[in-house]
Amino acid sequence: MSSAAAFSYAPLLPTGPDQTDYRLVTDEGVDVVHGPGGRRFLTVEPAALTALTAEAMHDIAHFLRPAHLAQLRAIIDDPAASPNDRFVALDLLRNANIAAGGVLPMCQDTGTAIVMGKRGRHVLTDGADAEAISRGVYQAYTRLNLRYSQLAPLTMWDERNTGSNLPAQVDLYAEDPDGHPDAYKFLFMAKGGGSANKSYLYQETKALLNPTRMMQFLEEKLRLIGTAACPPYHLAIVIGGTSAEYALKTAKYASAKYLDALPTSGSMSAHGFRDLELEAEVLELTRNFGIGAQFGGRYFCHDVRVVRLPRHGASCPVAIAVSCSADRQAVAKITPSGVWLERLETDPARFLPDVTDDSLDAELVVRVDLNRPMDEIRAELSKYPVKTRLSLSGPLVVARDIAHAKIAERLDAGEPMPQYLRDHAVYYAGPAKTPEGYASGSFGPTTAGRMDAYVEKFQAAGGSQVMLAKGNRSGQVTRSCQQHGGFYLGSIGGPAARLAQDCIKHVEVLEYAELGMEAVWKIEVEDFPAFIVVDDKGNDFFAEVTKPVLTVGRR
């Protein structure tokens, strides 16, 4: 063994100066007291932590960062963007404008509340910080028009919705944030199931660490993300890590732009760094996938962050994560001057272009009357190729995971397919709470793939002949649609507030009211946007664009 290197220390993730634009939430609940040795201590009351958390969860449900909105506008202004790219971007901007009204959240899946905090050594609290933060989450989700998505396990097999969206994930660290001992800094996130489910860990080896193999690997894995998590994405890739879980955590932070100020080169102190060159190359790689902003084009990703971490010689974890069109996060801080929260954009209308729908309609838009018999609806859809844009009007049945499981049990018991699934197209979704005076709360599509296992059984029994949701589907769905004459229509993932305000005119429960947002609903829609993704001839729009070619190498 050679002699040991001299001791040196560097944080694994050394971030630079904080450039955030903050707004003051309150100056109550914080004070400065003097301690031994002339030290100053910041005291923080539990109520201050609760108030900050409630305000943060409100803001990230309704507002986005200006930089994110500017990226959406840039898609519309880019002549190389596809018509579908621009249509999706415009719809997402309109959705942001509606959500900023503070009534309808931008996405119906208002997510798991995730809070990470770094408390300086001169910050004093009552010690129950996680409880005070959780109370703020509770206040936001119970008072606002947000959805409860957290399930309490009662047994290994039985669950029940907690009715408050608790528990939250709260991770607190004893660390002077940015070198300030009298500061308490936070990252608040709301992570919906769609984007959370697109977090991946791959245990690789040293063989991956060459330019050609790395790009081949990334092309294969990034195509598999698909569109179920509502692109365009903020994509994060972490290569290396002292453990698998650290790689995944770093990817989550990077997708939230929390690590943008990392160094851009490595050193023998073994800290993490961003590889700006590889970021640009991976972004260009995604531009050429053809997946685009959900229905073909260039804008699968807004941007890419690539973080390189140290690793054990026998391990090379690679973590991939995305932040979706509901790019919900904000940083915050508590200092002697008060409680501060990142200033998000409250006037997203300034990013809207002066365009009409017609100016973005470079392709045919087919209007489909859902009041007609199912055979007539299918005959109409059969006239058009995949990727055709549709405008749907009429009744839809809404059913998702638990309802599908219950209906499958009925079929297995010899009962017939419910008539409502035979007569109507089925929309996979679950609404947020309905504000007073509205027909519906935010009501965007959920991930279609979770229902794939039911499709052949349901279609063979005469149901689910036309399905509507977000994201790509498995080959078994394509084969079933070809066999039974069915269709899968893709809805734009993300604009749940706009759908609620502009497209959904009536909502009623058909069955399983006790399931809350997982009940079977009937809704009336008007000019509901969708695309043909899988048709009755065995065509699947995503089949080609998700196939890796494995021929690309790093320049």
Side-chain angles (χ1 to χ4, degrees), residues 426-428 445-448 467-471 473 488-492:
V426 58
Y427 179 38
Y428 303 159
T446 197
T447 302
M467 301 162 286
L468 175 66
K470 66 174 181 175
R473 309 205 67 168
Y488 166 56
L489 312 180
S491 177
I492 300 173

Side-chain angles (χ1 to χ4, degrees), residues 127-373:
D129 296 18
E131 180 178 350
I133 289 167
S134 295
R135 185 177 296 278
V137 172
Y138 173 86
Q139 290 181 1
Y141 277 84
T142 55
R143 295 174 182 176
L144 301 172
N145 298 310
L146 308 184
R147 196 177 84 184
Y148 308 143
S149 299
Q150 305 307 307
L151 302 177
L154 304 181
T155 70
M156 181 60 72
W157 322 117
D158 298 319
E159 301 172 307
R160 183 175 300 168
N161 194 298
T162 62
S164 64
N165 215 56
L166 293 178
Q169 177 182 321
V170 182
D171 299 320
L172 301 176
Y173 299 89
E175 176 181 331
D176 289 351
D178 302 325
H180 296 290
D182 59 348
Y184 204 160
K185 300 194 76 171
F186 301 89
L187 171 65
F188 292 95
M189 305 179 72
K191 200 70 176 173
S195 61
N197 292 345
K198 297 302 177 181
S199 300
Y200 295 101
L201 174 69
Y202 302 97
Q203 295 286 20
E204 297 297 316
T205 68
K206 166 67 175 173
L208 185 65
L209 299 180
N210 72 79
T212 299
R213 176 64 191 127
M214 178 63 73
M215 292 300 282
Q216 291 173 338
F217 171 86
L218 291 176
E219 180 178 15
E220 176 186 358
K221 303 307 183 187
L222 297 181
R223 286 179 184 269
L224 295 177
I225 295 174
T227 62
C230 309
Y233 298 128
H234 301 284
L235 172 66
I237 302 165
V238 174
I239 300 159
T242 49
S243 64
E245 62 271 23
Y246 193 83
L248 282 166
K249 179 173 71 172
T250 302
K252 178 175 286 186
Y253 292 163
S255 72
K257 307 298 184 69
Y258 186 74
L259 302 178
D260 275 10
L262 282 178
T264 56
S265 61
S267 74
M268 284 304 295
S269 60
H271 57 75
F273 66 90
R274 285 179 60 189
D275 187 327
L276 302 184
E277 181 183 357
L278 187 53
E279 288 177 3
E281 292 179 11
V282 173
L283 180 60
E284 185 59 26
L285 176 70
T286 67
R287 293 279 193 258
N288 295 318
F289 284 172
I291 300 172
Q294 306 189 30
F295 302 103
R298 288 171 47 81
Y299 282 93
F300 186 62
C301 294
H302 284 302
D303 49 42
V304 177
R305 297 294 182 266
V306 177
V307 177
R308 181 67 158 90
L309 293 177
R311 68 184 185 92
H312 184 284
S315 301
C316 186
V318 177
I320 296 174
V322 298
S323 184
C324 66
S325 293
D327 189 40
R328 294 174 295 198
Q329 55 261 327
V331 294
K333 63 181 180 180
I334 302 177
T335 69
S337 62
V339 178
W340 301 84
L341 179 61
E342 180 177 357
R343 189 186 306 276
L344 301 180
E345 181 58 64
T346 58
D347 183 25
R350 67 188 181 92
F351 293 94
L352 282 169
D354 185 19
V355 298
T356 65
D357 281 343
D358 291 341
S359 65
L360 293 176
D361 288 348
E363 298 181 1
L364 175 69
V365 180
V366 177
R367 301 194 178 278
V368 179
D369 182 2
L370 298 175
N371 290 290
R372 291 184 294 173

